[in-house]
Amino acid sequence: MSIPLKSFLLSYLCALPLALLSRKILMADSEALSSLAGDPMAVEALLQAVFGIVVDEAIQKGTSASEKVCEWKEPEELKQLLDLELRSQGESQEQILERCRAVIHYSVKTGHPRFFNQLFSGLDPHALAGRIITESLNTSQYTYEIAPVFVLMEEEVLRKLRALVGWSSGDGIFCPGGSISNMYAVNLARYQRYPDCKQRGLRTLPPLALFTSKECHYSIQKGAAFLGLGTDSVRVVKADERGRMVPEDLERQISMAEAEGAVPFLVSATCGTTVLGAFDPLEAIADVCQRHGLWLHVDAAWGGSVLLSQTHRHLLDGIQRADSVAWNPHKLLAAGLQCSALLLQDTSNLLKRCHGSQASYLFQQDKFYDVELDTGDKVVQCGRRVDCLKLWLMWKAQGSQGLERRIDQAFALARYLVEEMKKREGFELVMEPEFVNVCFWFVPPSLRGKQDSPDYHKRLSTVAPVLKERMVKEGSMMIGYQPHGTRGNFFRVVVANPALTRADIDFLLNELERLGQDL
């Protein structure tokens, strides 16, 4: 990371309204933290020191390709190094600062350009600045009176996201993750069909059926269990060889559910499946939903950000026909955890009707301002984090054009990785990717040319776990792996970090060859 960017981040980090930064503060290393109460100079000194550690360790080193992705330690050793015990007496500021440094040192650096492990990575400085501000203000996004800026900001950000989906009106809310967004969609679809269930509960409902592909996110199953529908209510639709839902089988499953006495009410399609990065055919699925009067939810937690790209947004053709969409800007846009939006085409205040309880101590109807600005009754939470500022601030800085370039760059680097793999011996693609999930096997020297051996696939399946252990313990990079259907373990590289370069892609390939040369 360049010095100018470090300076930029440090200026953001230190711009808290705790005291004037022009004053020179001296910190007593032996002073107990309890003495900070009522002493703004000491508070400022502590936080400036902590922010300096954050900039050096988490930001500068944590995003540098010359540093480790992680400093691996076994659990028992790590417990001792961190000294996790909580005691009756507080510690000195010097000790606390060392605790802060150790926490960062032994944590995984998800902003590192060689962290390919999850569907989120990278560090956007403007988004980070937004996160710092919201943490510092420590407010809850449920009423206009205590979060006026953020109530209006959330409304504008959600409006912009809905416009990208293709809706000129609608509703929405930021949720604590895509799983919760998906669960909200299921609950809303059920309430729309059977509004009495809010008061009378599950006893008012017939057996219900919802439909999703076998490549869906596991939160659909969890949501069915959590909402009392039961996992048996989830009808799993076939996916094709690329991981996309088969509309013909969806039609068949709906007919089968009806024949069994169940009432179909929702279809959850996926845009950007977790492993293969597949996009379900939304137009065809929407046709099925329209014929049967079903709520169409699109889980675009991973793939939704592709809507920003004029080049690639065709992957989500038909999304404007959905009733609800889940979209996680903390993934491909690198807005930072957590930033997950549930978007609705509904304009009838369905969110509030479904979830509202009109708590009189919080949502008084005789306030001196428009009480429609009190959005907290739309959700099942009471306290709710402010998740819109980091995205808003990043968008303000980058503009839609800058975010589009970020998406297009990820696609281009994923294509570069695929083409470079094809030039090297020992790399076998699971399939040609249509997104930025690149799935492949690394075939070590001992297995090359032995595809016809009876134990080939069993032996190949053991390679990824061994290489994962080696790379993590060395701290050189992190790549996820998994089995999938009948396929044995393979790597899934997620090409999403905005700081990625071709040099990082080359390193990935070279490092796998180095780590696996003796296998």
Side-chain angles (χ1 to χ4, degrees):
M1 182 171 288
S2 66
I3 295 298
L5 182 52
K6 178 184 176 183
S7 300
F8 163 81
L9 286 165
L10 188 55
S11 67
Y12 261 110
L13 287 163
C14 295
L16 295 174
L18 297 170
L20 294 175
L21 297 183
S22 59
R23 292 178 299 177
K24 185 175 181 181
I25 305 300
L26 297 176
M27 184 175 67
D29 289 341
S30 61
E31 190 174 11
L33 274 176
S34 58
S35 67
L36 294 184
D39 186 347
M41 293 176 66
V43 169
E44 182 184 335
L46 171 69
L47 291 179
Q48 286 200 54
V50 171
F51 293 159
I53 292 170
V54 169
V55 171
D56 288 338
E57 299 291 337
I59 298 172
Q60 189 172 39
K61 292 181 182 177
T63 60
S64 172
S66 63
E67 299 285 340
K68 290 185 176 183
V69 176
C70 64
E71 187 68 48
W72 175 261
K73 299 294 179 185
E74 295 296 331
E76 290 306 315
E77 181 184 4
L78 186 56
K79 288 179 184 178
Q80 296 303 314
L81 288 167
L82 295 175
D83 186 15
L84 295 174
E85 182 184 352
L86 298 174
R87 302 180 179 88
S88 60
Q89 295 296 316
E91 297 182 338
S92 70
Q93 292 186 24
E94 182 180 33
Q95 288 174 302
I96 292 301
L97 292 177
E98 286 306 309
R99 302 291 187 212
C100 293
R101 193 177 296 275
V103 165
I104 299 171
H105 181 70
Y106 293 112
S107 292
V108 175
K109 311 305 187 296
T110 63
H112 197 286
R114 292 165 188 173
F115 176 80
F116 303 99
N117 209 68
Q118 251 62 52
L119 298 182
F120 65 88
S121 63
L123 188 153
D124 182 277
H126 296 95
L128 176 59
R131 291 151 71 189
I132 293 164
I133 293 169
T134 54
E135 289 299 313
S136 303
L137 290 173
N138 191 38
T139 193
S140 180
Q141 182 129 2
Y142 42 46
T143 63
Y144 182 79
E145 65 182 286
I146 68 161
V149 172
F150 302 127
V151 165
L152 298 179
M153 184 180 291
E154 181 179 59
E155 186 179 80
E156 175 59 24
V157 173
L158 290 170
R159 185 196 67 79
K160 187 68 173 181
L161 295 177
R162 287 195 302 267
L164 286 166
V165 169
W167 301 333
S168 59
S169 60
D171 202 353
I173 207 77
F174 276 90
C175 300
S179 292
I180 304 300
S181 296
N182 289 338
M183 292 181 195
Y184 267 112
V186 174
N187 198 43
L188 289 165
R190 178 175 65 178
Y191 174 81
Q192 185 194 55
R193 179 67 68 93
Y194 297 103
D196 285 351
C197 72
K198 179 179 178 179
Q199 180 178 352
R200 300 184 60 201
L202 299 180
R203 65 181 180 274
T204 68
L205 301 177
L208 298 179
L210 62 100
F211 305 84
T212 191
S213 87
K214 71 183 187 69
E215 298 291 328
C216 76
H217 191 259
Y218 65 84
S219 59
I220 303 300
Q221 293 274 352
K222 283 199 170 190
F226 183 75
L227 294 169
L229 294 169
T231 56
D232 285 349
S233 68
V234 180
R235 304 299 178 104
V236 179
V237 181
K238 290 179 182 177
D240 64 20
E241 68 283 354
R242 298 194 56 82
R244 298 172 297 202
M245 184 189 289
V246 177
E248 294 78 11
D249 191 59
L250 172 62
E251 189 87 59
R252 186 183 68 84
Q253 292 277 2
I254 292 170
S255 298
M256 187 182 303
E258 291 174 334
E260 294 171 1
V263 178
F265 75 106
L266 173 140
V267 174
S268 180
T270 310
C271 285
T273 58
T274 304
V275 177
L276 300 178
F279 288 75
D280 285 344
L282 298 182
E283 290 284 11
I285 293 169
D287 288 343
V288 175
C289 291
Q290 186 173 337
R291 282 196 295 273
H292 293 273
L294 306 183
W295 181 290
L296 173 57
H297 173 63
V298 177
D299 176 5
W302 177 216
S305 297
V306 177
L307 288 169
L308 283 152
S309 169
Q310 294 304 311
T311 303
H312 300 288
R313 64 171 290 135
H314 64 88
L315 291 169
L316 296 101
D317 282 351
I319 194 170
Q320 75 281 357
R321 299 176 65 185
D323 295 285
S324 57
V325 172
W327 180 350
N328 287 8
H330 71 235
K331 291 181 175 173
L332 192 55
L333 286 181
L337 289 161
Q338 61 196 25
C339 190
S340 176
L342 173 69
L343 308 173
L344 297 177
Q345 191 170 181
D346 174 80
T347 57
S348 69
N349 217 7
L350 183 66
L351 268 169
K352 192 170 183 178
R353 289 188 288 116
C354 180
H355 301 126
S357 60
Q358 298 89 44
S360 60
Y361 60 86
L362 190 59
F363 304 115
Q364 304 94 331
Q365 297 303 294
D366 55 357
K367 290 182 178 180
F368 60 91
Y369 59 83
D370 182 1
V371 294
E372 290 302 311
L373 293 168
D374 290 352
T375 57
D377 227 11
K378 292 182 178 183
V379 297
V380 295
Q381 299 165 257
C382 180
R384 186 163 67 93
R385 288 172 55 97
V386 173
D387 290 327
C388 58
L389 175 58
K390 51 200 161 195
L391 177 57
W392 180 86
L393 201 59
M394 180 177 72
W395 209 319
K396 279 286 193 181
Q398 297 283 339
S400 298
Q401 292 180 347
L403 297 179
E404 180 177 17
R405 287 192 295 271
R406 182 171 291 183
I407 303 304
D408 290 344
Q409 179 189 25
F411 273 89
L413 285 173
R415 176 47 46 188
Y416 175 76
L417 173 58
V418 169
E419 296 306 319
E420 289 300 303
M421 279 183 179
K422 292 177 179 179
K423 298 175 184 177
R424 302 190 185 212
E425 188 179 9
F427 291 91
E428 181 183 342
L429 284 170
V430 173
M431 64 179 60
E432 287 282 342
E434 64 175 336
F435 194 20
V436 295
N437 307 39
V438 181
C439 299
F440 65 95
W441 290 278
F442 176 74
V443 183
S446 65
L447 288 178
R448 291 172 193 170
K450 298 183 179 179
Q451 288 84 347
D452 294 331
S453 299
D455 62 346
Y456 173 79
H457 293 288
K458 181 179 179 181
R459 291 171 61 191
L460 183 60
S461 187
T462 65
V463 172
V466 172
L467 291 181
K468 178 65 175 283
E469 179 181 1
R470 290 181 178 182
M471 70 177 73
V472 169
K473 288 185 174 179
E474 289 198 20
S476 60
M477 60 184 182
M478 288 185 73
I479 308 173
Y481 73 86
Q482 64 284 302
H484 183 267
T486 60
R487 302 181 179 104
N489 287 321
F490 57 84
F491 284 115
R492 180 202 62 176
V493 168
V494 179
V495 184
N497 190 328
L500 270 177
T501 66
R502 288 190 173 194
D504 297 309
I505 301 299
D506 294 338
F507 175 88
L508 181 156
L509 298 172
N510 293 335
E511 183 70 353
L512 283 176
E513 289 176 337
R514 184 184 72 84
L515 294 172
Q517 63 185 344
D518 63 335
L519 295 179

